[in-house]
Amino acid sequence: MAEIVSAIPTSGGPYFWAYMLAAPHHAPFFAWITGWFYLIGQIAITTGIDFGLANLISTTASISNRYAGTAVKTLGILAIILLSQVAVNLVSVHKLRYMIYTSITLNSVGVICLLITVLTQAPSHQTACFVFGKFFDGTAADDIAEGWSIRASPAYVAATGVLMSQYTFTGYDAQCSSLAASACLGFFVIVAMLFSIQDFDTVRENPLRIFQILTDACGRGGGLVLMVLIMLCVWHCGLFSLTSNSRMMFAFARDGGIPHRLHIIGARFKSPIRTVIFGPTCSFLLALQALGSQVAFNGTTSIATISLYVSYGIPIAMTLAYPQNFHRGPFKLGRASNPIALIASLWVAFITIAFCLPTVNPVHIQTLNYTPVALGIVGFFDSGTWFLWA
C-alpha cells in the first residue's frame, strides 16, 4: 500500500485508488464496492473501539465498586463517549490538532510510563519460558468442553486469534511510520504484561484480566490509576477513528457514494458537521445488537477488520490485474512489488475466511460466529445499491 499511496497520495481514499487502478469500464463498480466496504469498516471499528471502552469502564466499576452493569447501562456509557467525541470533532481543525498532540503523548510517553511502572512494581516476574513458551487455548465454552486446539489444532486457535492483533492494524492509508511504532510498542506492552503476571489462574478467571495484572503489580489504587490511563488512550483512539470516519464520509458524499446532502461544511466551525453526527449515530445503532446478544455484537470486531482489509485488498489486487494502470510514484518496491502485492492479496483472503470461523467450542446459537451473516448482508447491500441508485 505504500507504493499505492506514493503513486496516488490521497489519504483515506481506497475507493479512489480502486477507481484509478481498475479498467475504465469496471472502475466505477470497483470504486463503489471498495468505498462501501471502507465505510462499513470505519463505522464498525468506531463502534468496536468505543463500545470496548464502555465495557472497560463498566467492568472496572463492577470489580472495584460493586457497580451492577447491564447492557442498557453500557449503551448509556457508549452514548456519553460518542457525544464527547462528537463535541470535540465539531470544533475547528486548528483546535483539533491539539488533541492529536495529547493523543501522541498518552500513547507513547504514557504507555512507556505504564510499562516501567508495572515491571518495576511487580513483586515477581514470570520466566521467559512462560512468556514465550506457554500455550493457553481459551476457546472452550466451559471447563467441561474441549478447546479448538484439541478438537482441531493449535494452528486453528492461532489463525482465529490473529483477529485481535489484526484489528489494531488499520489505517494503512495514513502514516506507515505510526503503524510501525504501534507494532513495536504493542509488542512490548504484551510482553511486559505477561512477565508481570503473578498467578496465571487468578488472571484467567478475572473478567477484566488486564486490571488483575495491574492490581497485582501496583495495588488496587495504582491499578485503577493505570486503568484510567488506558481508558484515556482508548478514548483518543475512538476520537480520531470518528474524525477519519467523518472525513471519509464527507469525501464519499462528494463523489456520490452516499447522499450528497452529507457533503456540508458547518459555517461556524468549518467542520463536516453532518458526517460528524451521522457517523457516530450509525456506530451507536450498530451497538444496539448488544441488547439482544453479546455474541452477535462480538462479530463487530470481525466485520470491521474484514471490511477494512477488503477495501485495502481491492486496490492491491487491481495493481496485479491491471498493471498498465499502475504508474508508481517516488516510493518503489522494485522486483518485490508484485510478490508483495500477491502475498498481501492472499493474506486478505485468508483472514476473511479465518475471522468467519467459530472461536468457541462447542458451537451453538450462543457461541456461533455471526460474521459470515453480517458480511453477506454487507455484500448484498453493496451490490444491490450499485444496481439501484449508483
Side-chain angles (χ1 to χ4, degrees):
M1 286 193 70
E3 269 197 322
I4 297 176
V5 174
S6 177
I8 313 171
T10 306
S11 180
Y15 72 92
F16 180 66
W17 303 339
Y19 181 86
M20 296 296 292
L21 294 169
H25 55 289
H26 290 145
F29 174 75
F30 282 116
W32 181 272
I33 296 298
T34 303
W36 271 100
F37 267 107
Y38 191 66
L39 177 62
I40 297 298
Q42 288 272 6
I43 293 171
I45 206 164
T46 302
T47 304
I49 293 168
D50 285 342
F51 193 84
L53 175 57
N55 265 324
L56 198 64
I57 294 171
S58 179
T59 308
T60 302
S62 298
I63 295 173
S64 58
N65 294 318
R66 298 180 180 178
Y67 163 83
T70 64
V72 174
K73 290 180 181 178
T74 303
L75 284 172
I77 297 172
L78 172 64
I80 294 172
I81 292 169
L82 286 170
L83 286 172
S84 66
Q85 293 169 345
V86 167
V88 174
N89 269 283
L90 286 178
V91 303
S92 67
V93 175
H94 298 293
K95 294 180 181 178
L96 189 62
R97 74 171 186 263
Y98 295 112
M99 299 300 296
I100 298 176
Y101 301 148
T102 304
S103 178
I104 293 172
T105 302
L106 284 171
N107 284 280
S108 55
V109 178
V111 172
I112 291 172
C113 290
L114 182 147
L115 296 182
I116 294 173
T117 301
V118 173
L119 287 172
T120 56
Q121 294 300 311
S124 62
H125 297 94
Q126 296 288 345
T127 63
C129 181
F130 169 85
V131 172
F132 297 105
K134 182 178 177 61
F135 176 81
F136 173 67
D137 189 318
T139 60
D142 49 54
D143 293 333
I144 300 175
E146 294 179 339
W148 280 109
S149 64
I150 298 174
R151 184 174 177 181
S153 73
Y156 181 95
V157 178
T160 55
V162 169
L163 173 61
M164 287 297 101
S165 57
Q166 198 77 55
Y167 170 70
T168 63
F169 283 98
T170 55
Y172 290 103
D173 51 305
Q175 300 97 329
C176 294
S177 57
S178 64
L179 290 169
S182 297
C184 294
L185 195 56
F187 174 78
F188 287 120
V189 168
I190 293 172
V191 170
M193 294 300 110
L194 291 175
F195 269 114
S196 301
I197 290 176
Q198 301 303 299
D199 184 86
F200 180 75
D201 290 332
T202 302
V203 171
R204 183 171 63 87
E205 293 168 2
N206 194 299
L208 191 58
R209 294 168 181 175
I210 183 66
F211 184 49
Q212 184 68 52
I213 296 173
L214 297 178
T215 300
D216 288 345
C218 306
R220 198 167 191 80
L224 281 172
V225 170
L226 294 177
M227 282 302 298
V228 171
L229 173 60
I230 292 172
M231 292 174 190
L232 287 172
C233 291
V234 177
W235 183 87
H236 280 81
C237 183
L239 170 69
F240 292 110
S241 174
L242 195 155
T243 304
S244 174
N245 189 351
S246 63
R247 271 55 176 181
M248 182 272 167
M249 283 186 176
F250 180 79
F252 206 36
R254 175 200 62 205
D255 296 333
I258 54 178
H260 189 75
R261 65 188 64 182
L262 291 172
H263 183 68
I264 298 293
I265 292 290
R268 181 177 180 182
F269 295 116
K270 306 299 181 183
S271 296
I273 182 169
R274 293 188 178 180
T275 54
V276 167
I277 296 172
F278 182 69
T281 300
C282 292
S283 294
F284 183 80
L285 292 175
L286 183 59
L288 290 179
Q289 60 184 309
L291 292 173
S293 171
Q294 182 65 37
V295 177
F297 174 78
N298 290 341
T300 302
T301 304
S302 296
I303 296 167
T305 307
I306 293 172
S307 296
L308 287 175
Y309 272 87
V310 167
S311 72
Y312 301 150
I314 291 175
I316 295 174
M318 292 299 101
T319 65
L320 296 172
Y322 306 103
Q324 68 277 9
N325 295 337
F326 187 26
H327 305 289
R328 290 171 173 79
F331 178 79
K332 299 180 179 67
L333 291 171
R335 292 182 178 179
S337 178
N338 286 344
I340 290 175
L342 178 60
I343 293 171
S345 300
L346 293 174
W347 178 254
V348 172
F350 168 74
I351 63 173
T352 299
I353 297 171
F355 297 164
C356 290
L357 298 173
T359 57
V360 180
N361 184 55
V363 180
H364 49 74
I365 192 170
Q366 289 299 318
T367 61
L368 181 67
N369 187 345
Y370 290 91
T371 303
V373 178
L375 285 178
I377 294 172
V378 171
F380 180 79
F381 179 82
D382 287 355
S383 303
T385 51
W386 166 257
F387 291 105
L388 288 175
W389 77 63

